Amino acid sequence: MGPRLSAGLTAAACAAAVSGCGLGPGPGTSNATLTVTKGFGAVPVAHTSERHVPGSETVMRMLERHLRVSTRYGGGFVESIDGRSGSSSRLDWFYYINGVQAPIGAATTAVHKGDRIWWDLHDWSVTNSIPAVVGSFPEPFVHGTAGRRLPMTLECAPDVPTACARVTKEFQTLKIPFASQIIGGGSGTDSLAVIVGTWQDLAPALVAQLLDSGPKSSGVYARFTNHGSSLALLDPRGRVVRRLAGTAGLVAATADGSSPPTWMVTGTNGSGVDAAASALTPAALHDHFALAVHGTSRLPVPLDGLR
């Protein structure tokens, strides 16, 4: 059993605290977006963009300016957005900024330039910590976290040159600088990493151990089986609902504790990695927590989210 991610927050703490923001006035910022979905991104609820964001804006204030929000527990946490409610058992609102789960409540989180703020109502019976998602791509590579752009490394296995070239071209097209290195070289504790290789290539890495341990450790509702030759897709309760045998690919992200996320472009074999690399685009990943690829099918995971 590989190491487990620290949950960090209870489900309620991942929702929005609405008091005591403590942020002073400022000049404001620009180009922030707000997305609201349910069922791990399966059902769109609302989307808006703001070219100019008021000074001292918080994630909570931005949400309240655009949608109807109700709270519970004495006004401390989000109960409903636009009439859609969580429950005290295993359904709640969570939010992510630039594809990274927020570490604190929305009332104390400032909005920075270019932030992609994403609220999602989903089942947390398997895990209340999904540290990173891919559906805000090209974030967090463009604007980073908390207003600070992070350095990035691209680690490629030598047996997937086509996939590596595709991923390289995508980041070059997006004008995102990165350092290239052989897989396993390590990205440092303050860098975003993208690892490209078959599951066998990734197997020694910490992120692979997290995926092997299931979504409670990684936040990813998919795992490779049969020594990496097949890909099992899970539902929100962590049950295997589909197995992809043969050529299959996966684009997913996770993190160890508070470290920056590591993205995986991987697959059962070289062709599976090629398929995953082809899906590393804003259009293909839009509003997905992770994405499996099998032939011409692109399958957001977890499968069968709330609809």
Side-chain angles (χ1 to χ4, degrees):
M1 180 70 70
R4 295 177 55 187
L5 280 175
S6 171
L9 298 170
T10 65
C14 293
V18 296
S19 60
C21 71
L23 296 175
T29 187
S30 60
N31 298 325
T33 64
L34 172 66
T35 298
V36 181
T37 62
K38 62 179 184 177
F40 300 91
V43 181
V45 174
H47 178 81
T48 187
S49 300
E50 291 193 0
R51 295 188 63 183
H52 176 72
V53 179
S56 71
E57 184 77 317
T58 65
V59 171
M60 187 63 186
R61 287 176 185 164
M62 186 173 180
L63 179 68
E64 290 180 317
R65 284 195 296 104
H66 291 282
L67 295 164
R68 292 178 293 111
V69 179
S70 66
T71 61
R72 54 191 164 101
Y73 299 131
F77 305 100
V78 166
E79 178 176 31
S80 71
I81 298 176
D82 207 26
R84 294 165 174 84
S85 299
S87 69
S88 59
S89 56
R90 46 177 168 250
L91 193 67
D92 268 305
W93 286 100
F94 295 77
Y95 78 100
Y96 306 82
I97 299 180
N98 296 338
V100 180
Q101 181 173 276
I104 58 176
T108 56
T109 300
V111 178
H112 296 91
K113 181 177 180 179
D115 275 353
R116 296 192 177 194
I117 301 162
W118 180 7
W119 289 85
D120 185 72
L121 177 68
H122 63 247
D123 185 326
W124 55 270
S125 57
V126 171
T127 179
N128 57 28
S129 177
I130 297 177
V133 296
V134 302
S136 295
F137 186 75
E139 301 299 348
F141 303 101
V142 175
H143 291 99
T145 61
R148 184 172 71 93
R149 190 170 188 171
L150 299 175
M152 174 195 153
T153 60
L154 175 60
E155 302 179 27
C156 287
D159 56 347
V160 289
T162 301
C164 187
R166 286 176 176 167
V167 173
T168 297
K169 183 178 179 180
E170 182 66 21
F171 282 109
Q172 289 174 338
T173 299
L174 293 167
K175 296 181 170 55
I176 298 171
F178 58 88
S180 297
Q181 60 188 41
I182 297 296
I183 192 169
S187 60
T189 58
D190 198 31
S191 298
L192 296 163
V194 178
I195 305 178
V196 183
T198 67
W199 189 246
Q200 288 291 340
D201 294 327
L202 269 62
L206 173 62
V207 289
Q209 298 173 41
L210 293 172
L211 254 70
D212 283 342
S213 297
K216 190 171 184 178
S217 294
S218 66
V220 179
Y221 288 74
R223 61 173 179 264
F224 287 85
T225 59
N226 298 326
H227 306 288
S229 64
S230 65
L231 178 61
L233 307 183
L234 313 181
D235 70 5
R237 298 296 178 88
R239 299 168 296 202
V240 175
V241 291
R242 185 166 179 180
R243 294 185 186 274
L244 307 180
T247 295
L250 178 69
V251 182
T254 189
D256 179 30
S258 61
S259 298
T262 295
W263 283 47
M264 294 157 281
V265 180
T266 186
T268 55
N269 52 31
S271 296
V273 183
D274 290 345
S278 296
L280 189 74
T281 68
L285 298 178
H286 181 69
D287 288 357
H288 299 324
F289 275 44
L291 184 69
V293 185
H294 191 230
T296 59
S297 298
R298 290 176 175 174
L299 306 167
V301 289
L303 287 183
D304 303 319
L306 176 67
R307 294 183 183 275

